[in-house]
């Protein structure tokens, strides 16, 4: 089943959760590269959304299972490879109310734009502009006041605490911000 939801009229907040990278087989399955903590996030959902020009389309999740580092997904109403091919390279979304977030976790969407501040000295290092995937862990991309960019591993050891809507308090590795 495919449901069309107008972005403007509903007021839902849509969060990126992955990208459809390819089709799989002849029955309309797609491979999704998940942008969340794990594939399990996708498996408990009833639907995913795909954005078209001015609206989001809800696609019922009929099947979702692991396939290498991807999620292999079958949407209701997508029953052949040609139809599935039209979804290739599309971003998939969920609504905030579809997610269950542990108390000690935050959504990347909620911390982008926050000031990054030293937990001890109170010095502002810059503003978090992105969270990127590094080789070993995620990296905070911090735009410095002088316009330069710093990268800090997004690990608990360096993150003191986060005040949503305000600031991220960090204890960065020695010399990280000195070298800039």
């Amino acid at each position: 089943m495919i449901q069309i939801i107008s972005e403007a009229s509903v007021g839902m907040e849509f969060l990126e959760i992955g990208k459809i990278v390819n089709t799989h087989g002849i029955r309309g399955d797609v491979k999704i590269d998940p942008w969340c903590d794990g594939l399990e996030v996708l498996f408990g959902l009833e639907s995913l959304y795909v954005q078209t020009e001015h609206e989001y389309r809800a696609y019922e999740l009929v099947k979702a299972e692991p396939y290498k580092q991807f999620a292999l997904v079958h949407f209701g109403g997508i029953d052949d490879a040609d139809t599935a091919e039209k979804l290739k390279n599309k971003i998939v979304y969920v609504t905030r109310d579809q997610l269950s977030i542990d108390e000690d976790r935050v959504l990347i969407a909620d911390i982008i734009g926050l000031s990054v501040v030293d937990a001890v000295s109170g010095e502002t290092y810059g503003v978090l502009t992105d969270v990127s995937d590094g080789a070993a862990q995620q990296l905070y991309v911090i735009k410095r006041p002088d316009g330069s960019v710093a990268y800090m591993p997004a690990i608990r050891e360096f993150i003191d605490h986060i005040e949503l809507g305000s600031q991220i308090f960090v204890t960065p590795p020695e010399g990280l911000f000195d070298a800039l």
Side-chain angles (χ1 to χ4, degrees):
M1 175 178 184
I2 301 171
Q3 176 185 11
I4 300 174
I5 297 177
S6 169
E7 178 180 4
S9 66
V10 176
M12 288 190 223
E13 182 179 0
F14 292 92
L15 304 168
E16 295 179 356
I17 197 166
K19 181 177 182 178
I20 298 171
V21 295
N22 212 344
T23 60
H24 183 83
I26 62 170
R27 293 189 176 96
D29 292 349
V30 295
K31 284 195 296 189
I32 296 178
D33 181 12
W35 296 345
C36 42
D37 286 344
L39 295 172
E40 302 78 32
V41 174
L42 292 169
F43 301 153
L45 301 173
E46 293 180 15
S47 61
L48 291 175
Y49 296 85
V50 175
Q51 186 178 20
T52 59
E53 285 187 42
H54 301 291
E55 61 199 13
Y56 288 87
R57 288 186 178 208
Y59 289 89
E60 177 189 12
L61 233 59
V62 175
K63 175 183 80 172
E65 59 189 31
Y67 180 76
K68 300 180 182 179
Q69 75 270 24
F70 302 103
L72 189 58
V73 170
H74 187 84
F75 292 124
I78 308 293
D79 295 319
D80 61 81
D82 290 337
T83 307
E85 180 72 27
K86 295 174 186 171
L87 296 175
K88 190 174 173 181
N89 295 317
K90 299 280 188 185
I91 306 299
V92 291
Y93 300 82
V94 294
T95 59
R96 184 176 292 274
D97 63 348
Q98 286 179 278
L99 299 176
S100 173
I101 306 297
D102 291 339
E103 196 172 293
D104 65 336
R105 310 290 288 183
V106 295
L107 296 173
I108 292 172
D110 291 339
I111 61 174
I112 298 294
L114 297 184
S115 295
V116 179
V117 177
D118 189 287
V120 176
S121 71
E123 177 184 356
T124 299
Y125 293 123
V127 174
L128 184 71
T129 59
D130 198 5
V131 177
S132 67
D133 289 324
Q137 70 274 323
Q138 291 182 321
L139 298 171
Y140 279 179
V141 180
I142 303 164
K143 184 172 183 183
R144 307 274 291 150
D146 66 4
S148 64
V149 175
Y151 298 88
M152 185 183 87
I155 58 175
R156 292 184 193 273
E157 179 182 346
F158 302 141
I159 302 167
D160 187 80
H161 68 283
I162 298 173
E163 292 180 5
L164 291 176
S166 180
Q167 299 171 321
I168 302 169
F169 292 89
V170 300
T171 308
E174 190 173 323
L176 177 71
F177 293 104
D178 297 339
L180 300 175

